[in-house]
Amino acid sequence: MEDGPAGGDPDLVVVGASAGGVTALRALAAGIPPGLRAPVLVVLHLPVGARSALPQILTRAGHLPAGHPRDGEELRPGQIFVAPPDHHLSVVDGRMRLTHGPEENGHRPAIDPLFRSAARCYGARAIGVVLSGTLDDGAAGQIEIAARGGRTIVQDPADAIYAGMPLSVLQYLRVDHVVPAVEIGPLLGRLVGTMADPARLSTSSLPREEWLAMDDPFPDDDDLHGAPAGIGCPQCGGSVDAIDEGGLLRYRCRIGHAWSPGSLLAKQREAMEAALWLAVRTLEDRAEVCRRSERAALERGNAWVAERY
């Protein structure tokens, strides 16, 4: 896998959104100029089993046609490609990959796998955009894009319906542009075709991350780049490694489930609440069994058995 496309190849725009993201995506699509010389790849968090009408929404909103890509389909400028439900979207050698790899930050599709692959394959030609959403999916991906010399854009938190994702990026990275959603489309028109500063390049851990997101065979354990975190994965219960990348602490289990701090805490809170309600229900069920057994014993005149219950 090459670190960037051939010299004459177009740029690549990757966009991530979650809660409140449809409104922001419509505003973005409306502002993209016709004939943009770059493909635009979009990940919107969707619940498992959901159907996506986002391609139709974005096609009606702007000048570029939008649709769900096929696995292995070639990237084409001037089109919007939306990750289908329950599949990660990534780019490899100028083509799009749809995979059913482990969830990241509790989502499939997730934003970080797409952004990492864009950083790896397009380097300084990648442009990452993070829109409205809760928690912090997309922050690690934006860090990778910046590390490879690409451009980073974040929706102004004051303009986002949910400011969590934009704020999480701003917490860890000095982004190139912080603008309202309606200004992002015209901004992309100005940025596409202009190279970012390659002096920002740095090393990254992308190869291992890409293998995991793309369902490829796992490397040997010696290739794991994190330290044992001493916690279990809330998704599968497996051991978890802590990974410090660009000041952003992330977690990944041996299966490949990946977690940002915010998403891990949210999943742990969800698991804790489920466990507490299970305990309450079990105690109530136990009490009901005792009450019924006590009544049955009294009806049979077995006072000592009733006392036991």
Side-chain angles (χ1 to χ4, degrees), residues 205-275:
S205 58
L206 283 171
R208 159 104 182 138
E209 302 285 352
E210 286 178 356
W211 288 329
L212 291 167
M214 289 162 41
D215 262 349
D216 287 347
F218 286 13
D220 295 334
D221 286 349
D222 289 343
D223 291 329
L224 289 169
H225 52 272
I231 60 176
C233 174
Q235 193 87 356
C236 66
S239 61
V240 170
D241 288 327
I243 308 163
D244 189 351
E245 294 177 351
L248 173 61
L249 190 62
R250 298 171 54 244
Y251 301 88
R252 188 181 288 279
C253 75
R254 298 303 174 103
I255 294 297
H257 298 119
W259 306 92
S260 62
S263 63
L264 179 60
L265 288 171
K267 190 66 175 180
Q268 288 175 331
R269 182 172 60 248
E270 178 184 318
M272 180 178 66
E273 183 171 353

Short mmCIF file of all heavy atoms in Angstrom, two decimals, residues 205-275:
data_model
loop_
_atom_site.label_atom_id
_atom_site.label_comp_id
_atom_site.label_asym_id
_atom_site.label_seq_id
_atom_site.Cartn_x
_atom_site.Cartn_y
_atom_site.Cartn_z
N SER A 205 0.86 5.12 13.44
CA SER A 205 0.69 3.69 13.65
C SER A 205 -0.34 3.11 12.70
O SER A 205 -0.97 2.12 12.99
CB SER A 205 0.24 3.44 15.09
OG SER A 205 -0.98 4.13 15.33
N LEU A 206 -0.50 3.71 11.55
CA LEU A 206 -1.61 3.35 10.67
C LEU A 206 -1.65 1.91 10.19
O LEU A 206 -2.73 1.34 10.11
CB LEU A 206 -1.61 4.28 9.45
CG LEU A 206 -2.16 5.68 9.76
CD1 LEU A 206 -1.91 6.58 8.57
CD2 LEU A 206 -3.63 5.61 10.04
N PRO A 207 -0.54 1.29 9.81
CA PRO A 207 -0.69 -0.04 9.21
C PRO A 207 -1.48 -1.02 10.07
O PRO A 207 -2.40 -1.66 9.59
CB PRO A 207 0.76 -0.50 9.03
CG PRO A 207 1.53 0.77 8.85
CD PRO A 207 0.85 1.75 9.77
N ARG A 208 -1.16 -1.14 11.37
CA ARG A 208 -1.89 -2.06 12.23
C ARG A 208 -3.37 -1.68 12.30
O ARG A 208 -4.25 -2.53 12.20
CB ARG A 208 -1.27 -2.04 13.64
CG ARG A 208 -2.22 -2.55 14.73
CD ARG A 208 -1.89 -3.92 15.20
NE ARG A 208 -2.85 -4.37 16.19
CZ ARG A 208 -3.36 -5.58 16.23
NH1 ARG A 208 -3.00 -6.44 15.32
NH2 ARG A 208 -4.21 -5.92 17.15
N GLU A 209 -3.66 -0.38 12.45
CA GLU A 209 -5.03 0.08 12.55
C GLU A 209 -5.81 -0.28 11.29
O GLU A 209 -6.97 -0.67 11.35
CB GLU A 209 -5.06 1.60 12.76
CG GLU A 209 -4.31 2.08 13.99
CD GLU A 209 -5.07 1.80 15.27
OE1 GLU A 209 -6.22 1.37 15.19
OE2 GLU A 209 -4.50 2.02 16.34
N GLU A 210 -5.19 -0.15 10.12
CA GLU A 210 -5.89 -0.47 8.88
C GLU A 210 -6.19 -1.96 8.78
O GLU A 210 -7.26 -2.36 8.34
CB GLU A 210 -5.05 -0.02 7.68
CG GLU A 210 -5.08 1.49 7.50
CD GLU A 210 -4.22 1.94 6.36
OE1 GLU A 210 -3.55 1.08 5.75
OE2 GLU A 210 -4.21 3.13 6.07
N TRP A 211 -5.24 -2.81 9.18
CA TRP A 211 -5.51 -4.25 9.14
C TRP A 211 -6.76 -4.58 9.94
O TRP A 211 -7.59 -5.37 9.51
CB TRP A 211 -4.33 -5.02 9.72
CG TRP A 211 -3.12 -5.01 8.84
CD1 TRP A 211 -3.09 -4.95 7.49
CD2 TRP A 211 -1.76 -5.06 9.26
NE1 TRP A 211 -1.80 -4.95 7.03
CE2 TRP A 211 -0.97 -5.02 8.10
CE3 TRP A 211 -1.15 -5.13 10.51
CZ2 TRP A 211 0.43 -5.05 8.16
CZ3 TRP A 211 0.24 -5.16 10.57
CH2 TRP A 211 1.01 -5.13 9.40
N LEU A 212 -6.87 -3.98 11.12
CA LEU A 212 -7.99 -4.29 11.99
C LEU A 212 -9.30 -3.82 11.39
O LEU A 212 -10.29 -4.55 11.37
CB LEU A 212 -7.77 -3.65 13.36
CG LEU A 212 -6.63 -4.27 14.17
CD1 LEU A 212 -6.28 -3.38 15.34
CD2 LEU A 212 -6.99 -5.66 14.65
N ALA A 213 -9.34 -2.58 10.89
CA ALA A 213 -10.58 -2.04 10.36
C ALA A 213 -11.01 -2.75 9.08
O ALA A 213 -12.18 -2.78 8.74
CB ALA A 213 -10.43 -0.54 10.09
N MET A 214 -10.06 -3.34 8.36
CA MET A 214 -10.37 -3.94 7.07
C MET A 214 -10.56 -5.45 7.13
O MET A 214 -10.64 -6.12 6.11
CB MET A 214 -9.27 -3.60 6.07
CG MET A 214 -9.28 -2.14 5.65
SD MET A 214 -7.74 -1.59 4.90
CE MET A 214 -7.31 -2.98 3.88
N ASP A 215 -10.63 -6.01 8.34
CA ASP A 215 -10.87 -7.45 8.47
C ASP A 215 -9.73 -8.28 7.91
O ASP A 215 -9.90 -9.46 7.61
CB ASP A 215 -12.16 -7.86 7.75
CG ASP A 215 -13.33 -7.96 8.72
OD1 ASP A 215 -13.08 -7.93 9.92
OD2 ASP A 215 -14.46 -8.08 8.26
N ASP A 216 -8.55 -7.70 7.72
CA ASP A 216 -7.41 -8.47 7.22
C ASP A 216 -6.84 -9.30 8.36
O ASP A 216 -7.10 -9.03 9.53
CB ASP A 216 -6.33 -7.53 6.67
CG ASP A 216 -6.73 -6.91 5.35
OD1 ASP A 216 -7.73 -7.39 4.77
OD2 ASP A 216 -6.08 -5.97 4.92
N PRO A 217 -6.02 -10.31 8.07
CA PRO A 217 -5.43 -11.11 9.15
C PRO A 217 -4.65 -10.24 10.12
O PRO A 217 -3.95 -9.33 9.72
CB PRO A 217 -4.51 -12.08 8.40
CG PRO A 217 -5.09 -12.16 7.04
CD PRO A 217 -5.66 -10.79 6.75
N PHE A 218 -4.77 -10.56 11.39
CA PHE A 218 -4.10 -9.77 12.41
C PHE A 218 -2.59 -10.04 12.36
O PHE A 218 -2.16 -11.15 12.09
CB PHE A 218 -4.59 -10.15 13.80
CG PHE A 218 -5.96 -9.63 14.12
CD1 PHE A 218 -6.79 -9.11 13.15
CD2 PHE A 218 -6.41 -9.66 15.41
CE1 PHE A 218 -8.05 -8.66 13.44
CE2 PHE A 218 -7.69 -9.20 15.73
CZ PHE A 218 -8.51 -8.71 14.74
N PRO A 219 -1.78 -9.02 12.64
CA PRO A 219 -0.35 -9.27 12.79
C PRO A 219 -0.08 -10.03 14.09
O PRO A 219 -0.97 -10.23 14.90
CB PRO A 219 0.24 -7.86 12.85
CG PRO A 219 -0.87 -7.01 13.37
CD PRO A 219 -2.14 -7.62 12.84
N ASP A 220 1.17 -10.43 14.27
CA ASP A 220 1.54 -11.13 15.50
C ASP A 220 1.39 -10.20 16.70
O ASP A 220 1.39 -8.97 16.58
CB ASP A 220 3.01 -11.60 15.43
CG ASP A 220 3.19 -12.66 14.34
OD1 ASP A 220 2.20 -13.35 14.03
OD2 ASP A 220 4.31 -12.76 13.82
N ASP A 221 1.27 -10.83 17.87
CA ASP A 221 1.12 -10.03 19.09
C ASP A 221 2.29 -9.08 19.29
O ASP A 221 2.15 -8.04 19.93
CB ASP A 221 1.00 -10.95 20.32
CG ASP A 221 -0.38 -11.61 20.37
OD1 ASP A 221 -1.27 -11.20 19.60
OD2 ASP A 221 -0.54 -12.55 21.17
N ASP A 222 3.46 -9.44 18.76
CA ASP A 222 4.62 -8.57 18.93
C ASP A 222 4.41 -7.23 18.25
O ASP A 222 5.09 -6.25 18.56
CB ASP A 222 5.87 -9.24 18.34
CG ASP A 222 6.33 -10.42 19.19
OD1 ASP A 222 5.90 -10.51 20.35
OD2 ASP A 222 7.10 -11.26 18.68
N ASP A 223 3.47 -7.17 17.28
CA ASP A 223 3.23 -5.93 16.55
C ASP A 223 2.28 -4.99 17.28
O ASP A 223 2.05 -3.88 16.83
CB ASP A 223 2.66 -6.23 15.16
CG ASP A 223 3.69 -6.90 14.27
OD1 ASP A 223 4.87 -6.60 14.45
OD2 ASP A 223 3.30 -7.71 13.41
N LEU A 224 1.69 -5.45 18.37
CA LEU A 224 0.81 -4.58 19.12
C LEU A 224 1.61 -3.40 19.68
O LEU A 224 2.69 -3.58 20.23
CB LEU A 224 0.14 -5.34 20.27
CG LEU A 224 -0.91 -6.37 19.84
CD1 LEU A 224 -1.29 -7.24 21.02
CD2 LEU A 224 -2.14 -5.69 19.28
N HIS A 225 1.07 -2.21 19.52
CA HIS A 225 1.86 -1.02 19.87
C HIS A 225 1.37 -0.36 21.14
O HIS A 225 1.74 0.77 21.41
CB HIS A 225 1.80 -0.02 18.71
CG HIS A 225 0.42 0.30 18.26
ND1 HIS A 225 -0.24 -0.43 17.31
CD2 HIS A 225 -0.44 1.27 18.65
CE1 HIS A 225 -1.44 0.07 17.12
NE2 HIS A 225 -1.59 1.10 17.92
N GLY A 226 0.54 -1.02 21.93
CA GLY A 226 0.06 -0.42 23.17
C GLY A 226 0.55 -1.18 24.38
O GLY A 226 1.17 -2.23 24.28
N ALA A 227 0.27 -0.61 25.54
CA ALA A 227 0.60 -1.26 26.81
C ALA A 227 -0.68 -1.80 27.43
O ALA A 227 -1.75 -1.19 27.29
CB ALA A 227 1.25 -0.24 27.75
N PRO A 228 -0.61 -2.95 28.11
CA PRO A 228 -1.82 -3.49 28.75
C PRO A 228 -2.48 -2.46 29.66
O PRO A 228 -1.82 -1.83 30.49
CB PRO A 228 -1.29 -4.69 29.54
CG PRO A 228 -0.04 -5.09 28.82
CD PRO A 228 0.57 -3.81 28.32
N ALA A 229 -3.80 -2.28 29.49
CA ALA A 229 -4.52 -1.27 30.25
C ALA A 229 -5.09 -1.82 31.55
O ALA A 229 -5.55 -1.05 32.40
CB ALA A 229 -5.64 -0.68 29.41
N GLY A 230 -5.10 -3.14 31.70
CA GLY A 230 -5.63 -3.73 32.92
C GLY A 230 -7.13 -3.69 33.02
O GLY A 230 -7.69 -3.78 34.12
N ILE A 231 -7.81 -3.53 31.88
CA ILE A 231 -9.28 -3.52 31.87
C ILE A 231 -9.76 -4.47 30.78
O ILE A 231 -9.00 -4.87 29.90
CB ILE A 231 -9.85 -2.11 31.63
CG1 ILE A 231 -9.38 -1.57 30.26
CG2 ILE A 231 -9.45 -1.17 32.74
CD1 ILE A 231 -9.97 -0.22 29.91
N GLY A 232 -11.03 -4.82 30.84
CA GLY A 232 -11.64 -5.67 29.83
C GLY A 232 -12.41 -4.86 28.82
O GLY A 232 -12.94 -3.77 29.13
N CYS A 233 -12.50 -5.36 27.61
CA CYS A 233 -13.27 -4.70 26.57
C CYS A 233 -14.76 -4.79 26.90
O CYS A 233 -15.28 -5.88 27.14
CB CYS A 233 -12.99 -5.35 25.22
SG CYS A 233 -14.02 -4.74 23.87
N PRO A 234 -15.48 -3.67 26.94
CA PRO A 234 -16.90 -3.73 27.25
C PRO A 234 -17.74 -4.38 26.16
O PRO A 234 -18.90 -4.71 26.37
CB PRO A 234 -17.29 -2.26 27.44
CG PRO A 234 -16.28 -1.50 26.65
CD PRO A 234 -15.01 -2.29 26.74
N GLN A 235 -17.13 -4.59 24.99
CA GLN A 235 -17.85 -5.20 23.89
C GLN A 235 -17.75 -6.73 23.92
O GLN A 235 -18.73 -7.41 23.70
CB GLN A 235 -17.29 -4.69 22.55
CG GLN A 235 -18.15 -5.01 21.33
CD GLN A 235 -19.21 -3.97 21.11
OE1 GLN A 235 -19.35 -3.04 21.89
NE2 GLN A 235 -19.97 -4.11 20.04
N CYS A 236 -16.52 -7.23 24.19
CA CYS A 236 -16.32 -8.69 24.12
C CYS A 236 -15.67 -9.27 25.37
O CYS A 236 -15.56 -10.49 25.49
CB CYS A 236 -15.46 -9.03 22.89
SG CYS A 236 -13.76 -8.41 22.98
N GLY A 237 -15.18 -8.43 26.28
CA GLY A 237 -14.55 -8.91 27.50
C GLY A 237 -13.08 -9.21 27.36
O GLY A 237 -12.43 -9.61 28.33
N GLY A 238 -12.50 -9.03 26.16
CA GLY A 238 -11.09 -9.32 25.94
C GLY A 238 -10.16 -8.30 26.58
O GLY A 238 -10.59 -7.21 26.98
N SER A 239 -8.88 -8.65 26.67
CA SER A 239 -7.89 -7.73 27.25
C SER A 239 -7.70 -6.52 26.35
O SER A 239 -7.80 -6.60 25.13
CB SER A 239 -6.56 -8.45 27.45
OG SER A 239 -6.04 -8.92 26.21
N VAL A 240 -7.41 -5.39 26.96
CA VAL A 240 -7.36 -4.11 26.26
C VAL A 240 -5.97 -3.51 26.40
O VAL A 240 -5.37 -3.54 27.47
CB VAL A 240 -8.42 -3.14 26.82
CG1 VAL A 240 -8.23 -1.73 26.28
CG2 VAL A 240 -9.82 -3.66 26.49
N ASP A 241 -5.46 -2.95 25.30
CA ASP A 241 -4.21 -2.20 25.30
C ASP A 241 -4.51 -0.71 25.23
O ASP A 241 -5.46 -0.28 24.56
CB ASP A 241 -3.34 -2.57 24.10
CG ASP A 241 -2.75 -3.97 24.23
OD1 ASP A 241 -2.46 -4.38 25.36
OD2 ASP A 241 -2.59 -4.64 23.20
N ALA A 242 -3.71 0.09 25.92
CA ALA A 242 -3.82 1.54 25.87
C ALA A 242 -2.80 2.07 24.86
O ALA A 242 -1.64 1.66 24.87
CB ALA A 242 -3.56 2.16 27.24
N ILE A 243 -3.23 2.97 23.99
CA ILE A 243 -2.39 3.51 22.92
C ILE A 243 -2.38 5.02 23.05
O ILE A 243 -3.43 5.66 23.03
CB ILE A 243 -2.95 3.11 21.54
CG1 ILE A 243 -3.17 1.60 21.45
CG2 ILE A 243 -2.02 3.57 20.42
CD1 ILE A 243 -4.07 1.18 20.32
N ASP A 244 -1.20 5.60 23.16
CA ASP A 244 -1.06 7.05 23.24
C ASP A 244 -0.59 7.56 21.89
O ASP A 244 0.54 7.32 21.49
CB ASP A 244 -0.07 7.44 24.34
CG ASP A 244 -0.06 8.95 24.60
OD1 ASP A 244 -0.68 9.69 23.82
OD2 ASP A 244 0.58 9.37 25.57
N GLU A 245 -1.47 8.27 21.18
CA GLU A 245 -1.13 8.78 19.85
C GLU A 245 -1.42 10.27 19.80
O GLU A 245 -2.58 10.68 19.87
CB GLU A 245 -1.92 8.04 18.77
CG GLU A 245 -1.54 6.57 18.65
CD GLU A 245 -2.39 5.86 17.62
OE1 GLU A 245 -3.38 6.47 17.15
OE2 GLU A 245 -2.08 4.72 17.28
N GLY A 246 -0.38 11.06 19.69
CA GLY A 246 -0.56 12.49 19.57
C GLY A 246 -1.23 13.12 20.77
O GLY A 246 -1.92 14.14 20.64
N GLY A 247 -1.05 12.54 21.96
CA GLY A 247 -1.68 13.07 23.15
C GLY A 247 -3.08 12.56 23.39
O GLY A 247 -3.69 12.85 24.42
N LEU A 248 -3.63 11.78 22.43
CA LEU A 248 -4.96 11.21 22.57
C LEU A 248 -4.82 9.76 23.01
O LEU A 248 -4.26 8.94 22.28
CB LEU A 248 -5.72 11.29 21.25
CG LEU A 248 -7.08 10.58 21.21
CD1 LEU A 248 -8.03 11.17 22.24
CD2 LEU A 248 -7.68 10.67 19.82
N LEU A 249 -5.30 9.44 24.20
CA LEU A 249 -5.23 8.07 24.70
C LEU A 249 -6.39 7.28 24.14
O LEU A 249 -7.55 7.69 24.25
CB LEU A 249 -5.28 8.07 26.24
CG LEU A 249 -4.98 6.75 26.92
CD1 LEU A 249 -3.56 6.29 26.61
CD2 LEU A 249 -5.16 6.87 28.42
N ARG A 250 -6.07 6.15 23.52
CA ARG A 250 -7.09 5.29 22.92
C ARG A 250 -6.89 3.87 23.43
O ARG A 250 -5.84 3.53 23.96
CB ARG A 250 -7.00 5.34 21.40
CG ARG A 250 -7.25 6.72 20.84
CD ARG A 250 -6.94 6.80 19.35
NE ARG A 250 -7.65 5.78 18.59
CZ ARG A 250 -7.06 4.81 17.92
NH1 ARG A 250 -5.74 4.70 17.93
NH2 ARG A 250 -7.76 3.92 17.24
N TYR A 251 -7.91 3.04 23.24
CA TYR A 251 -7.90 1.68 23.75
C TYR A 251 -8.34 0.73 22.64
O TYR A 251 -9.25 1.03 21.87
CB TYR A 251 -8.83 1.55 24.95
CG TYR A 251 -8.49 2.47 26.10
CD1 TYR A 251 -9.02 3.76 26.15
CD2 TYR A 251 -7.63 2.06 27.11
CE1 TYR A 251 -8.69 4.62 27.19
CE2 TYR A 251 -7.30 2.90 28.15
CZ TYR A 251 -7.84 4.18 28.19
OH TYR A 251 -7.51 5.03 29.22
N ARG A 252 -7.67 -0.44 22.58
CA ARG A 252 -8.06 -1.44 21.59
C ARG A 252 -7.84 -2.83 22.16
O ARG A 252 -6.82 -3.10 22.78
CB ARG A 252 -7.23 -1.29 20.30
CG ARG A 252 -7.73 -2.19 19.18
CD ARG A 252 -6.88 -2.04 17.93
NE ARG A 252 -7.08 -0.78 17.25
CZ ARG A 252 -8.10 -0.54 16.43
NH1 ARG A 252 -9.01 -1.46 16.22
NH2 ARG A 252 -8.21 0.62 15.82
N CYS A 253 -8.85 -3.70 21.98
CA CYS A 253 -8.72 -5.06 22.48
C CYS A 253 -8.11 -5.95 21.41
O CYS A 253 -7.93 -5.54 20.26
CB CYS A 253 -10.09 -5.60 22.92
SG CYS A 253 -11.18 -6.05 21.57
N ARG A 254 -7.80 -7.19 21.77
CA ARG A 254 -7.13 -8.10 20.84
C ARG A 254 -8.05 -8.52 19.69
O ARG A 254 -7.57 -8.94 18.65
CB ARG A 254 -6.62 -9.34 21.59
CG ARG A 254 -5.57 -9.03 22.66
CD ARG A 254 -4.40 -8.28 22.07
NE ARG A 254 -3.45 -7.85 23.08
CZ ARG A 254 -2.28 -8.45 23.31
NH1 ARG A 254 -1.94 -9.50 22.62
NH2 ARG A 254 -1.47 -7.98 24.23
N ILE A 255 -9.36 -8.42 19.89
CA ILE A 255 -10.29 -8.70 18.80
C ILE A 255 -10.25 -7.58 17.77
O ILE A 255 -10.39 -7.80 16.57
CB ILE A 255 -11.72 -8.86 19.35
CG1 ILE A 255 -11.80 -10.11 20.22
CG2 ILE A 255 -12.75 -8.92 18.22
CD1 ILE A 255 -11.53 -11.40 19.48
N GLY A 256 -10.04 -6.34 18.25
CA GLY A 256 -10.00 -5.19 17.36
C GLY A 256 -10.99 -4.11 17.68
O GLY A 256 -11.02 -3.07 17.02
N HIS A 257 -11.85 -4.30 18.71
CA HIS A 257 -12.74 -3.23 19.12
C HIS A 257 -11.90 -2.06 19.63
O HIS A 257 -11.01 -2.26 20.46
CB HIS A 257 -13.70 -3.70 20.22
CG HIS A 257 -14.60 -4.82 19.79
ND1 HIS A 257 -14.57 -6.06 20.39
CD2 HIS A 257 -15.52 -4.88 18.80
CE1 HIS A 257 -15.46 -6.84 19.80
NE2 HIS A 257 -16.05 -6.16 18.83
N ALA A 258 -12.17 -0.88 19.13
CA ALA A 258 -11.37 0.29 19.49
C ALA A 258 -12.25 1.31 20.18
O ALA A 258 -13.44 1.46 19.87
CB ALA A 258 -10.74 0.91 18.24
N TRP A 259 -11.64 2.03 21.13
CA TRP A 259 -12.40 2.97 21.95
C TRP A 259 -11.59 4.24 22.17
O TRP A 259 -10.43 4.19 22.53
CB TRP A 259 -12.73 2.36 23.31
CG TRP A 259 -13.42 1.04 23.23
CD1 TRP A 259 -12.84 -0.19 23.23
CD2 TRP A 259 -14.82 0.83 23.08
NE1 TRP A 259 -13.80 -1.16 23.11
CE2 TRP A 259 -15.02 -0.57 23.01
CE3 TRP A 259 -15.92 1.68 23.01
CZ2 TRP A 259 -16.29 -1.13 22.87
CZ3 TRP A 259 -17.18 1.11 22.88
CH2 TRP A 259 -17.35 -0.27 22.81
N SER A 260 -12.23 5.37 21.98
CA SER A 260 -11.70 6.63 22.49
C SER A 260 -12.09 6.72 23.96
O SER A 260 -12.94 5.96 24.43
CB SER A 260 -12.31 7.79 21.71
OG SER A 260 -13.72 7.81 21.91
N PRO A 261 -11.46 7.62 24.73
CA PRO A 261 -11.83 7.71 26.14
C PRO A 261 -13.32 7.98 26.36
O PRO A 261 -13.95 7.34 27.20
CB PRO A 261 -10.97 8.87 26.65
CG PRO A 261 -9.78 8.88 25.74
CD PRO A 261 -10.30 8.49 24.40
N GLY A 262 -13.88 8.89 25.59
CA GLY A 262 -15.29 9.21 25.76
C GLY A 262 -16.20 8.05 25.44
O GLY A 262 -17.16 7.77 26.18
N SER A 263 -15.92 7.37 24.33
CA SER A 263 -16.78 6.25 23.95
C SER A 263 -16.62 5.08 24.90
O SER A 263 -17.59 4.36 25.20
CB SER A 263 -16.48 5.81 22.51
OG SER A 263 -15.15 5.33 22.39
N LEU A 264 -15.39 4.86 25.43
CA LEU A 264 -15.18 3.78 26.39
C LEU A 264 -15.95 4.04 27.68
O LEU A 264 -16.63 3.15 28.22
CB LEU A 264 -13.69 3.62 26.68
CG LEU A 264 -13.32 2.52 27.69
CD1 LEU A 264 -13.79 1.16 27.21
CD2 LEU A 264 -11.80 2.50 27.93
N LEU A 265 -15.87 5.27 28.18
CA LEU A 265 -16.60 5.61 29.40
C LEU A 265 -18.11 5.47 29.20
O LEU A 265 -18.82 5.00 30.08
CB LEU A 265 -16.25 7.03 29.84
CG LEU A 265 -14.84 7.22 30.42
CD1 LEU A 265 -14.54 8.70 30.60
CD2 LEU A 265 -14.69 6.48 31.74
N ALA A 266 -18.59 5.89 28.02
CA ALA A 266 -20.02 5.77 27.75
C ALA A 266 -20.45 4.32 27.70
O ALA A 266 -21.51 3.95 28.23
CB ALA A 266 -20.36 6.47 26.43
N LYS A 267 -19.64 3.46 27.07
CA LYS A 267 -19.98 2.04 26.99
C LYS A 267 -19.91 1.39 28.36
O LYS A 267 -20.74 0.54 28.70
CB LYS A 267 -19.03 1.34 26.02
CG LYS A 267 -19.44 -0.08 25.67
CD LYS A 267 -20.74 -0.08 24.88
CE LYS A 267 -21.10 -1.49 24.43
NZ LYS A 267 -22.36 -1.51 23.66
N GLN A 268 -18.89 1.77 29.17
CA GLN A 268 -18.80 1.23 30.52
C GLN A 268 -20.00 1.66 31.36
O GLN A 268 -20.53 0.88 32.15
CB GLN A 268 -17.50 1.69 31.18
CG GLN A 268 -16.25 1.01 30.62
CD GLN A 268 -14.99 1.59 31.22
OE1 GLN A 268 -14.94 2.76 31.60
NE2 GLN A 268 -13.94 0.79 31.27
N ARG A 269 -20.43 2.92 31.20
CA ARG A 269 -21.60 3.40 31.93
C ARG A 269 -22.84 2.61 31.52
O ARG A 269 -23.67 2.23 32.36
CB ARG A 269 -21.81 4.89 31.67
CG ARG A 269 -22.99 5.48 32.42
CD ARG A 269 -23.03 7.00 32.30
NE ARG A 269 -23.15 7.42 30.92
CZ ARG A 269 -22.20 8.04 30.25
NH1 ARG A 269 -21.04 8.31 30.81
NH2 ARG A 269 -22.38 8.42 29.00
N GLU A 270 -22.97 2.34 30.24
CA GLU A 270 -24.09 1.55 29.74
C GLU A 270 -24.06 0.13 30.31
O GLU A 270 -25.10 -0.40 30.75
CB GLU A 270 -24.02 1.51 28.21
CG GLU A 270 -25.10 0.70 27.54
CD GLU A 270 -24.89 0.66 26.05
OE1 GLU A 270 -24.55 1.71 25.45
OE2 GLU A 270 -25.07 -0.42 25.45
N ALA A 271 -22.86 -0.48 30.33
CA ALA A 271 -22.73 -1.84 30.86
C ALA A 271 -23.01 -1.85 32.36
O ALA A 271 -23.64 -2.78 32.89
CB ALA A 271 -21.33 -2.39 30.57
N MET A 272 -22.54 -0.81 33.07
CA MET A 272 -22.75 -0.73 34.52
C MET A 272 -24.25 -0.59 34.83
O MET A 272 -24.76 -1.27 35.72
CB MET A 272 -21.99 0.45 35.11
CG MET A 272 -22.15 0.62 36.62
SD MET A 272 -21.18 2.00 37.25
CE MET A 272 -22.00 3.38 36.45
N GLU A 273 -24.94 0.25 34.08
CA GLU A 273 -26.37 0.42 34.31
C GLU A 273 -27.12 -0.88 34.04
O GLU A 273 -28.01 -1.26 34.78
CB GLU A 273 -26.92 1.55 33.44
CG GLU A 273 -28.39 1.82 33.70
CD GLU A 273 -28.89 3.06 33.00
OE1 GLU A 273 -28.07 3.79 32.42
OE2 GLU A 273 -30.11 3.30 33.04
N ALA A 274 -26.73 -1.57 32.95
CA ALA A 274 -27.38 -2.84 32.64
C ALA A 274 -27.15 -3.86 33.75
O ALA A 274 -28.06 -4.61 34.14
CB ALA A 274 -26.86 -3.38 31.31
N ALA A 275 -25.92 -3.88 34.31
CA ALA A 275 -25.61 -4.82 35.39
C ALA A 275 -26.41 -4.48 36.65
O ALA A 275 -26.90 -5.38 37.35
CB ALA A 275 -24.12 -4.80 35.68
#
